[in-house]
Every structure is written in structure tokens, then in C-alpha cells.
Amino acid sequence: MIDVPTLRLLRTSTGDDGTFGQLMAPADQDGGEVQIAHTAELPWRENLPFRSCVPAGTYLLARDFSPSKGRRWHLLDVPERARCMIHVGNWAGDIEVGKRTDVTGCIAPGLELGVLDEQRCVLNSKRALTRIEEYLELVGGYAWLQIEWAEGVLPLGVVG
């Protein structure tokens, strides 16, 4: 593995409105962490492309730019998926049940959790992405992203 810091995304709740979590960065050499953003992802739907959040695991983040999404960070080597990213967005709901979404298998960061149009979401996404970018630039432009489910939050069909 490349010797870069590891960010940790702890998924703390999931449902039709989306999967919500906390993005944590190392705070010190002793294993302490600091939260740098909240996150919104699609609900777990068996890793279906464009319908599901990515599987728990560890992925390398690499910087990219898109004319439609702007600044973003790619998660490299996600099993059976392509173009999974961290980019600006608010909603991450299941469109099959009428929820809104700004992501199709990606991660939307926010500075806080909230509700817009009667749906849970993340807020201040552009500022949160800037905070993540500032951290990543500070540590050399790369980091591992370790995604895990909080205890008691695993959706049906997911093995810890």
C-alpha cells in the first residue's frame, strides 16, 4: 500500500433517504481522529451500479475534474464499479421509491446534516468538499479512504 494517511468514513444510518456517515481524518500519531465532514450516499442495494453505495472497504483517492461535477475525488478500484467519486451534492435517496438524489454511487460531503424538501440530506456541500481538498493537499494529494458500517447499522444482506 502507498504510504499516505487514511481517512475513515463511518456509516451511521441508512434508509430510503440515503446512507449517512461521518468522514474522519487522523488527528495525531496516537490514533485520534477529527471529523472533517458528514457524508450522504445511496442506500445499500447489493452494489448495483447507479443504485447503491459502494461496498465497505479501503480505496485510494485520486483528484479529478469534471465539467458537470467540478472538483472531485475518485475512489480507485471499487469492485464491479466505475467512476465512484466524492463530489458536491445534497441528496442521496433511492429514486426507485421517489426520493431525490445528486449521486449515482458517489459520496456527497456536507458540513452538517439537514432536511430539504422533506428528505434527509447533507448541507454546505461545496464548503465541505473544500475542507476535504485542503486536508488532502496538506498531506500530498492522496489518501486512503476506509469505509465501514457503524456497529448495529449494517443493512440486510451485508456481512460485517
Side-chain angles (χ1 to χ4, degrees), residues 12-85:
T12 57
S13 67
T14 190
D16 289 341
D17 280 355
T19 298
F20 298 91
Q22 301 169 342
L23 184 62
M24 312 295 285
D28 55 44
Q29 298 284 349
D30 298 322
E33 294 178 307
V34 60
Q35 182 176 334
I36 57 174
H38 293 276
T39 59
E41 305 172 78
L42 292 174
W44 176 253
R45 299 294 187 255
E46 307 300 323
N47 197 31
L48 289 171
F50 310 108
R51 294 268 338 275
S52 180
C53 58
V54 301
T58 303
Y59 308 101
L60 187 63
L61 292 174
R63 188 179 189 137
D64 193 14
F65 181 83
S66 159
S68 64
K69 295 288 184 189
R71 305 177 323 255
R72 62 203 182 159
W73 292 84
H74 272 262
L75 285 69
L76 301 181
D77 299 324
V78 176
E80 301 177 36
R81 302 286 285 280
R83 305 191 54 75
C84 297
M85 301 167 257

Side-chain angles (χ1 to χ4, degrees), residues 79-127:
E80 301 177 36
R81 302 286 285 280
R83 305 191 54 75
C84 297
M85 301 167 257
I86 298 175
H87 64 72
V88 170
N90 297 107
W91 292 283
D94 187 343
I95 61 172
E96 296 279 322
V97 297
K99 300 293 183 171
R100 293 183 68 167
T101 190
D102 293 320
V103 297
T104 54
C106 300
I107 301 167
L111 292 184
E112 55 194 303
L113 297 174
V115 176
L116 292 173
D117 296 335
E118 300 180 16
Q119 183 179 325
R120 290 185 66 201
C121 64
V122 291
L123 304 171
N124 297 308
S125 189
K126 286 181 184 177
R127 288 180 37 212

